[in-house]
Amino acid sequence: MCGITGVYSENEALTSKLAFFSLYSLQHRGQESAGIAVFGDYIHIHKGMGLVNDVFGDKKLSEMVGRIAVGHVRYSTTGESKIENAQPLLVKTKSGALAIAHNGNLVNYQTLRNQLENEGAVFITDSDTEVIAKLMAKELLTKEPEDALKRVSEQLRGSYTLVMALNDTLIGFRDSLGFKPLVIGEGEFGYIIASESCAIDAVGARIIREVRPGEAVFIKNGELEFVKIEDSSRKALCVFEYIYFARPDSVIDGISVYGVRHRIGEILARESPVDADIVSPVPDSGTTSAIGFSKESGIEYLEALIKNRYVGRTFILPHQSTRELSVKIKMNAVRKNVEGKRVVLIDDSIVRGTTSRKIVDMVRSAGAREVHFRVGSPPIISPCYFGIDMSTREELIASNRKVEEIRREINADSLAYLSLDGLIEAVGLEKGELCLACLTAEYPVDVSEAMECRRC
Amino acid sequence: MCGITGVYSENEALTSKLAFFSLYSLQHRGQESAGIAVFGDYIHIHKGMGLVNDVFGDKKLSEMVGRIAVGHVRYSTTGESKIENAQPLLVKTKSGALAIAHNGNLVNYQTLRNQLENEGAVFITDSDTEVIAKLMAKELLTKEPEDALKRVSEQLRGSYTLVMALNDTLIGFRDSLGFKPLVIGEGEFGYIIASESCAIDAVGARIIREVRPGEAVFIKNGELEFVKIEDSSRKALCVFEYIYFARPDSVIDGISVYGVRHRIGEILARESPVDADIVSPVPDSGTTSAIGFSKESGIEYLEALIKNRYVGRTFILPHQSTRELSVKIKMNAVRKNVEGKRVVLIDDSIVRGTTSRKIVDMVRSAGAREVHFRVGSPPIISPCYFGIDMSTREELIASNRKVEEIRREINADSLAYLSLDGLIEAVGLEKGELCLACLTAEYPVDVSEAMECRRC
Amino acid sequence: MCGITGVYSENEALTSKLAFFSLYSLQHRGQESAGIAVFGDYIHIHKGMGLVNDVFGDKKLSEMVGRIAVGHVRYSTTGESKIENAQPLLVKTKSGALAIAHNGNLVNYQTLRNQLENEGAVFITDSDTEVIAKLMAKELLTKEPEDALKRVSEQLRGSYTLVMALNDTLIGFRDSLGFKPLVIGEGEFGYIIASESCAIDAVGARIIREVRPGEAVFIKNGELEFVKIEDSSRKALCVFEYIYFARPDSVIDGISVYGVRHRIGEILARESPVDADIVSPVPDSGTTSAIGFSKESGIEYLEALIKNRYVGRTFILPHQSTRELSVKIKMNAVRKNVEGKRVVLIDDSIVRGTTSRKIVDMVRSAGAREVHFRVGSPPIISPCYFGIDMSTREELIASNRKVEEIRREINADSLAYLSLDGLIEAVGLEKGELCLACLTAEYPVDVSEAMECRRC
Amino acid sequence: MCGITGVYSENEALTSKLAFFSLYSLQHRGQESAGIAVFGDYIHIHKGMGLVNDVFGDKKLSEMVGRIAVGHVRYSTTGESKIENAQPLLVKTKSGALAIAHNGNLVNYQTLRNQLENEGAVFITDSDTEVIAKLMAKELLTKEPEDALKRVSEQLRGSYTLVMALNDTLIGFRDSLGFKPLVIGEGEFGYIIASESCAIDAVGARIIREVRPGEAVFIKNGELEFVKIEDSSRKALCVFEYIYFARPDSVIDGISVYGVRHRIGEILARESPVDADIVSPVPDSGTTSAIGFSKESGIEYLEALIKNRYVGRTFILPHQSTRELSVKIKMNAVRKNVEGKRVVLIDDSIVRGTTSRKIVDMVRSAGAREVHFRVGSPPIISPCYFGIDMSTREELIASNRKVEEIRREINADSLAYLSLDGLIEAVGLEKGELCLACLTAEYPVDVSEAMECRRC
Ligand SMILES: Nc1ncnc2c1ncn2[C@@H]1O[C@H](COP(=O)(O)OP(=O)(O)O)[C@@H](O)[C@H]1O
Ligand SMILES: Nc1ncnc2c1ncn2[C@@H]1O[C@H](COP(=O)(O)OP(=O)(O)O)[C@@H](O)[C@H]1O
Ligand SMILES: Nc1ncnc2c1ncn2[C@@H]1O[C@H](COP(=O)(O)OP(=O)(O)O)[C@@H](O)[C@H]1O
Ligand SMILES: Nc1ncnc2c1ncn2[C@@H]1O[C@H](COP(=O)(O)OP(=O)(O)O)[C@@H](O)[C@H]1O
Ligand code: SF4
Ligand code: SF4
Ligand code: SF4
Ligand code: SF4
Ligand SMILES: [Mg+2]
Ligand SMILES: [Mg+2]
Ligand SMILES: [Mg+2]
Ligand SMILES: [Mg+2]
């Protein structure tokens, strides 16, 4: 998962700064690296490892002057994290300069790369973004941008939401299944494209509308134009955007993320009620659902756990004998709130279960009499091939275990998951409009190639 | 405000790591710089600007081997932030090596510095910690550590909670008014001293007890000894530790911070009820009180505002015309939760009022019908001279304004502060056990010297 | 101008270190950036801005394990210096991984790039090395490495000495005119390829022989094989390697650089004798020729100038009013040696003349009675298109001035250049074996395309 | 050994830049760290590890505005190199701010430190400069700067050349034996004080005169005043300034360093003639003497060795099996120049002899028929306690060996040292004006305390 953005502004000194603010508010979508390309009289590109605010300073942003900016924050999916993987990817083609920021994952990457290599292409990176760049360059030789994009998208399979700068044009594009969100805003400064609406808010703009599955938006000379690129018979918006990824203050495809999570809590309370003294989130992902659960159940909302706000991805655990402290470092129980109480804990999902176990134990040893676990999604039983690094099937605790077994493993007094129907109800879209593959193992596109050669 | 810690462990490779974890959990007490000194066969010291996790890596910690560690995180009080101000301060004296971590502020600093300079002392820093170090060194020439500490503390006036390493002894000490907290824990590894109990929890230790005002604890050869250093007729624990500074999961002088903040919310609801649809915190400082307010008032708890978790102290606002975005970058309203609603916002306190105004406006422009503001403390009317960088009296919005005037300035439909009695009730200590000076302008020690020469 | 190297060693831990030492001794060929790629079980690549010793540390080198290493130091030719331009360039192709280090400049770059772009290729860099990489990848689709290299070299025009790693093979190659040198050595560890023989000495190996113009060397499975790739009817070894670029202790195409420079001094003394008290080099480039001049003329050798050894390329001249100090900062006169004396200064060449003027003035104001200038090369009248960033024709002081005019501009009492015949005699090769284009404006290949579009 | 400087200029923006240029030209006196303090409306100080040009950039220098600057480059004497040791040392005293840059070493450091500690002083560093700072502060309480400096200098024993800023006064001071040089210059900008005259040249100023032993210079309000501080019955200028430390273009106490080294070569040629084909320096320290030797002996001057110009102090030798390459990396023989020849090598001195041995072997294996070694100083038989980190007596090859034994160890065909009388003649001062202690074991001050407790 990554965050992508594009800005068009005729106030050329402002463009890079707006891209910066946009990425800043999309930071939760990726903390490994950040990058911005600006197209003006010159082409500027700057990328670095770490948070947006560490990579970009005032001086750097002031140098990056131009009408169009493309930005990206990257989520580290695989082990090694390298600057080579940072985006946007900037290439120079016969048809001009092209910068691409990509959110998603191609499931036919290897086939496409083989084809291109067979034609003599050389690859600098191992990313599917470079495949997209090369296909675009090839089609642009003979076609206008729109037609080139059409021809390229016919060849791509999987999840590929893109923001691109092509010479003087800013392009946003969402694959025909619309796995990953993309939204457009308008402000005094011009236009903004972003993964989530919180970025539109952050720059003081207002939402125009979402880019639709299979649709592109072209912004050029101050004009914005929507173009249908691919037919889209079925939509497959990643349900985990609502459950976990997106910021609660974002609105995706017209639906408030906060609202979905709150309803998840309410439905969970109805589906799997429990006699308890307090209901408490596993922070931060469980917070909104816990509030909903409390409201519906009438059980008092009280925080059992405080999460250290300074915990980052690069947290070190230097010493063998201190490794077991890891969860304690990230979270701590509030003894006063749980002592002698029956506690319901709410989290958004369970992946491997190891953290959940530690949390349950922590609440117990702070004095809780009972610890009940409620999960804001159905069990995750199958891997995602669309850009989310869930564990492999073997690591997924729910891939081969019954709920009762899982309950025992995480040491809870009771455990319940949200039902699939409950989830769909909470979201408020049709089942056919969502990707639910990791919950159902029914993939909206053929993933057989990706299944064989697991690369993320 | 700073965070301080000390660790004693005969597992010499573990000591620095435990100090690291302790500081990590005290990070909210200071983000400007971090430092650890370890006394073993060699004396190691490492300090740097930024977060604990940025300053210390595995390699550095592994080199720092010894039985005793002293650690410090620093809060930037004044404009310029420099590595020279980072602590612990390590000095070499006739009587050996001395490392000092200090939380607080002397109100007779200038007098003491003058005295020392008159005796020919030279100063490398501008910190009152160097004054303490020099006084200690002088007294240690002729006295045992205990007596030296007694003689030094007689000369100091103000707030001076200390953790020190003196050769093979770890010392914790709290001034006779006990402005700043200090607590001792015991684990399998040995002993830990820290500003807050959350650090004791973080290293898997259990609380022994608080260090009492005027008391010192000496840890040497695995033995822990409490020694009364100064008589303490009156206690003056900073009430803002409960209101704002401390982590909600900490327990200070036996009282849960979470509990205090929850009761503040409840009392506020009783003292200043309001007809509304939802109650919502200004995150993060208002969260616990908002939960309490909701419980007491029966008004639904729902988050009106989401705070960007990646906002740091060093946030840049590069462009003139983007400066007004500042609050938007840090926080965003959840339109769905506030649209058409009457909203009660809860925050811990109001200092200058500018941020409160922007927040009220943000909630309004997201569609709220009414915005009521409730503050979890009485008005701040007077500066703090004990180590907290509140603004000068001129900047304090409440120093010369009635509540109604403030209400107008922050553009709220109604505004109410917690009463002083309500605050004291919420804390649950006697009035004579607390410092309330910034709320009452009655200082528990003579601050006339500090008033004249404002330095922090 | 750049320095390139390749190492083959079955002692896999040693390979990267030998490449490091080799680059270290080629540092004078480029100080802008340094890079090494190692092919082993994994492919490692590391590049950075600055000196070899700054870019590579022990830790990094220890991680880079494999049989084959390719290294590069880059000379900043154009204004902006960026990490993107650092070499080796590593690409992944249908036929495997390919790392290229290139010394030289293509004069038909734009044509080749256009051709490739017309086929849909996208470019990440602006370097001609990427063109070579793409051509290689294309030919490798259908051909064995040797034949691919043949086919590629047919298409390249200009100067292109290469060291490449292609999967398990290390390749050295010199263009058919042999502009830039390349020499092979053998040691206990295996084989080494390098721009200059000083690198062979540095790793304790012995010279096998030079790679001949149009020849390639393939090293694989411990076997070394020379292969003729292109016919080479005429050789065009850059004469400035002898005059200026190479280290004096190197031997190029069998001829000692030190020897050439010494003979240049001797011939200069015969061609343009002068009555003087001392002969002195402009350090460092004039040193060897000054020694030769002194020997032939019998005039005492004494240093008039001392050069600051710490002057680097990145020297800053922060203040307007201090800019005129620039030469003084780099060099200083030894008053005692020049006071009241008639001084002959020897330098290797004059490009723009501004530095020469400042040096003459400096020696004069240190008390010299007369200052005579002798130059170890004929006037530079035409730009180089083969990888050397001499100024444009407009900036070359000799491109449109008589010697007498130049003498006046640099304020010397007399000025003489080495004759072309004298230079050829000093080198000891046939005229037809050398490139002399910048001295004669007769280019050994058609440079019309490069003349139009000046890029280096 | 270190380099120190001071600048006084009423062009306040220029002061720091002049100090920078001065240090830049004193870089050979210390490469470990660099620092500058500027006294203006504010006091600025900046220090860092590494070369002057790495520590100071344009931005930093532009911020440092004021009339007075004090600068320092530090030579790493002892193992650990730390920023804490960087100078100038800035302290704040009753009498104002004091910045000190110190070149030298106290031989009664421990006694003075004990005295100060007994009075309760605490020490932040382990440097004798802090002792000087504290003594100055103490005396300044009751005395004017002149008298304070007198009283302090009475207490100091050893080598202590100082440049200090005290509020609005710039002070230069040389101990009564004048171990280390200090010279004053005047330019349009104002005044400059520096260790060597090459720094005066570098800023375009002219030499006024040396500071005399026991003398101080005070510069204030644009007025310069010389003051006799200590009686100086005997002078003891370090003879190694002429032999090795100083830059050849400097003039010390009126005598050209280049001249001394040239005469050393001439006298060596007379004292220890040898039948040979070429005479060659061990670069760089042997160069000037080799030129003199060639002139006197009539043997041709030709470079047998080329030294890599990029070798720095921080050179890494990463691999066990590559460590023996170390000398090869730093220097290489010019085979053509030595093959079949009888070579005389000239170096300034021999300390441990290991490098000399490797150089002799290198020249031999490049084909030299005979290798004769001539040393430009008498044997070093005793340690220096005045700030030069020669090895301990045990490591000095000449401390317990005859010349013939040393010849065998370094594998030379013949070996000769300059005589003590020859050295004194070459310098041209009286024996009683020089320190020759490391050559004679007769120390100009009592060093017994320093001998016991070896610290540098
Ligand atoms: N500013 C924010 N405020 C509240 N929640 C946020 C914010 N930014 C991201 N989130 C939510 O935080 C959750 C992830 O945080 P958390 O659960 O603490 O971490 P983890 O990924 O380790 O489970 C996601 O559900 C995301 O929607
Ligand atoms: N891990 C944590 N979880 C919740 N609250 C915390 C945590 N750490 C510190 N706090 C509280 O956060 C508050 C400060 O945060 P916040 O209000 O967001 O910032 P600001 O200082 O800008 O008002 C304090 O009241 C502190 O007690
Ligand atoms: N280690 C070395 N010793 C002597 N000369 C060297 C060395 N390395 C490079 N050179 C020579 O130094 C010259 C370049 O240095 P110099 O003249 O000082 O710099 P510039 O390029 O500014 O003229 C070249 O002629 C090169 O051959
Ligand atoms: N710019 C310079 N030009 C020539 N010699 C210099 C210069 N700067 C310093 N020196 C001399 O260089 C010598 C030290 O260099 P060198 O002999 O190469 O190193 P080492 O200290 O390893 O023996 C000293 O004698 C010093 O006087
Ligand atoms: S498989 Fe799961 S995580 Fe992946 S896109 Fe589909 S719903 Fe989202
Ligand atoms: S004045 Fe206020 S902030 Fe300061 S110590 Fe007292 S209660 Fe705390
Ligand atoms: S033009 Fe001059 S510098 Fe260029 S390759 Fe030819 S001889 Fe060398
Ligand atoms: S002992 Fe030697 S090195 Fe030290 S000051 Fe005296 S002459 Fe110089
Ligand atoms: Mg979570
Ligand atoms: Mg707050
Ligand atoms: Mg030169
Ligand atoms: Mg030397």
Side-chain angles (χ1 to χ4, degrees), chain A residues 303 305-310 330, chain B residues 28 75 241-249 257 261 282-288 307 313 330-331 347-348:
Chain A
E303 292 157 296
L305 296 156
I306 296 296
K307 183 170 175 179
N308 187 326
R309 307 192 287 187
Y310 302 95
K330 295 188 182 171
Chain B
H28 60 289
Y75 187 83
E241 288 286 342
Y242 291 114
I243 297 173
Y244 174 77
F245 304 135
R247 244 172 66 171
D249 51 324
V257 172
R261 294 188 189 171
V282 177
D284 294 325
S285 47
T287 301
T288 310
K307 183 171 177 179
R313 305 222 107 224
K330 295 190 182 170
M331 258 179 232
D347 206 353
D348 64 290

Side-chain angles (χ1 to χ4, degrees), chain D residues 4 134 280-281 289 300 342 361:
Chain D
I4 59 180
K134 288 191 154 74
S280 173
S289 299
E300 180 180 358
R342 293 166 305 165
D361 288 348

Side-chain angles (χ1 to χ4, degrees), chain B residues 220-240:
Chain B
K220 186 175 168 175
N221 298 330
E223 303 294 319
L224 181 150
E225 188 191 2
F226 288 99
V227 180
K228 188 167 148 195
I229 298 292
E230 292 188 84
D231 277 328
S232 173
S233 52
R234 178 218 193 291
K235 193 171 146 192
L237 176 62
C238 168
V239 76
F240 265 92

Side-chain angles (χ1 to χ4, degrees), chain C residues 318-319 321-322 325, chain D residues 5-24 35-42 44 52 56 58 60-72 163 165 167-170 188-193 199 203 219:
Chain C
H319 199 261
S321 71
T322 57
L325 293 174
Chain D
T5 196
V7 173
Y8 180 95
S9 174
E10 288 174 13
N11 182 341
E12 303 206 350
L14 202 57
T15 311
S16 63
K17 282 132 193 184
L18 293 165
F20 169 84
F21 288 133
S22 178
L23 289 185
Y24 199 84
I36 296 175
V38 177
F39 282 34
D41 289 346
Y42 301 92
H44 312 267
V52 179
F56 291 93
D58 200 359
K60 183 48 81 183
L61 290 173
S62 297
E63 290 162 16
M64 301 177 89
V65 172
R67 287 195 179 186
I68 293 178
V70 170
H72 190 273
V163 175
N167 301 319
D168 55 356
T169 309
L170 175 65
E188 281 169 38
F189 59 83
Y191 296 104
I192 174 167
I193 311 179
V203 299
I219 304 172

Side-chain angles (χ1 to χ4, degrees), chain C residues 25 27-29 31 75 196 240-249 257-258 261 282-288 307-308 311 313 330-331 347-349 355, chain D residues 283-284 303 305-310 330:
Chain C
S25 68
Q27 185 77 78
H28 60 288
R29 296 184 73 85
Q31 296 97 46
Y75 186 84
E196 290 183 35
F240 265 92
E241 289 286 342
Y242 292 115
I243 296 172
Y244 173 79
F245 303 135
R247 241 171 66 170
D249 51 325
V257 173
Y258 197 98
R261 293 187 190 172
V282 178
D284 292 325
S285 46
T287 301
T288 311
K307 182 170 177 180
N308 187 325
V311 168
R313 306 222 106 224
K330 295 191 182 170
M331 259 178 232
D347 205 353
D348 64 290
S349 56
T355 302
Chain D
D284 291 326
E303 292 157 297
L305 296 156
I306 296 296
K307 182 170 177 180
N308 188 324
R309 306 192 288 186
Y310 302 95
K330 295 189 182 170

Side-chain angles (χ1 to χ4, degrees), chain D residues 160-162 172-183 210-216 229-230 235 237 252-253:
Chain D
Y160 45 99
T161 296
L162 306 172
F173 175 58
R174 206 165 155 196
D175 59 64
S176 61
L177 287 164
F179 281 104
K180 291 286 145 194
L182 196 67
V183 58
E210 313 272 327
V211 179
R212 302 204 179 107
E215 188 184 56
I229 298 292
E230 290 188 85
K235 194 171 142 191
L237 176 63
I252 297 181
D253 284 5

Side-chain angles (χ1 to χ4, degrees), chain A residues 92 94 118 122-123 137 141, chain C residues 92 94 118 122-123 137 141:
Chain A
K92 284 158 197 170
K94 183 68 190 169
N118 287 340
V122 307
F123 284 81
L141 283 178
Chain C
K92 283 159 198 169
K94 184 68 190 169
N118 287 340
V122 307
F123 284 81
L141 283 177

Side-chain angles (χ1 to χ4, degrees), chain C residues 179-200:
Chain C
F179 281 103
K180 291 287 145 194
L182 197 66
V183 58
I184 302 188
E186 181 170 16
E188 281 170 38
F189 60 82
Y191 296 105
I192 174 167
I193 311 180
S195 294
E196 290 183 35
S197 67
C198 67
I200 313 277

